[in-house]
Amino acid sequence: MLYTIVGTDTPNSLEKRKAARPEHLARLQALRDAGKLIIAGPFPAVDNEDPSDAGFTGSLIVAEFASLEAAQAWADADPYMAAGVYAHVQVKPFKQVF
C-alpha cells in the first residue's frame, strides 16, 4: 500500500538539512531503486523553487510499504529525524486515484 510521510521542519533547520541531506537522499534512492518511491521533495519556505536562505518548512514522501508500521519505522529512522531537521513526522495510508 502507499503511504504519505510528511515531515515538518524545526525552525531554522536549513544547515541541519544540508548536513543530513546526502544520507536522506541515499535512503530515498534505495526506495526508488526498489520501485517503491512515487514522489519526494521539500516544501520551500517561500514561493520559489529555490528558496535560498529561506529554507524549507518540511518534506513530502509518497512511497509503498508493507504496512503502516513499516512506513512509520522507515520515517522514524530518517537521517532528518536524527539530525533534528524534523520537529515531527506524520505517516498516513494513501490511496492513489490519479
Side-chain angles (χ1 to χ4, degrees):
M1 180 161 190
L2 295 178
Y3 295 89
T4 61
I5 300 170
V6 178
T8 302
D9 281 23
T10 59
N12 304 309
S13 62
L14 186 57
E15 291 308 313
K16 292 177 189 175
R17 184 179 267 274
K18 287 179 181 177
R21 188 169 191 261
E23 288 178 80
H24 173 76
L25 292 181
R27 293 181 82 235
L28 289 170
Q29 186 64 50
L31 274 181
R32 183 177 177 205
D33 291 349
K36 297 185 180 285
L37 182 64
I38 304 303
I39 191 169
F43 300 120
V46 295
D47 188 15
N48 194 313
E49 202 167 306
D50 179 7
S52 190
D53 292 339
F56 301 92
T57 61
S59 302
L60 168 70
I61 297 165
V62 178
E64 182 182 344
F65 291 93
S67 66
L68 178 59
E69 293 78 16
Q72 186 69 58
W74 189 92
D76 289 343
D78 193 296
Y80 280 0
M81 286 296 292
V85 174
Y86 292 152
H88 59 86
V89 173
Q90 184 177 37
V91 179
K92 290 184 175 184
F94 178 72
K95 181 179 176 184
Q96 185 174 4
V97 176
F98 292 102

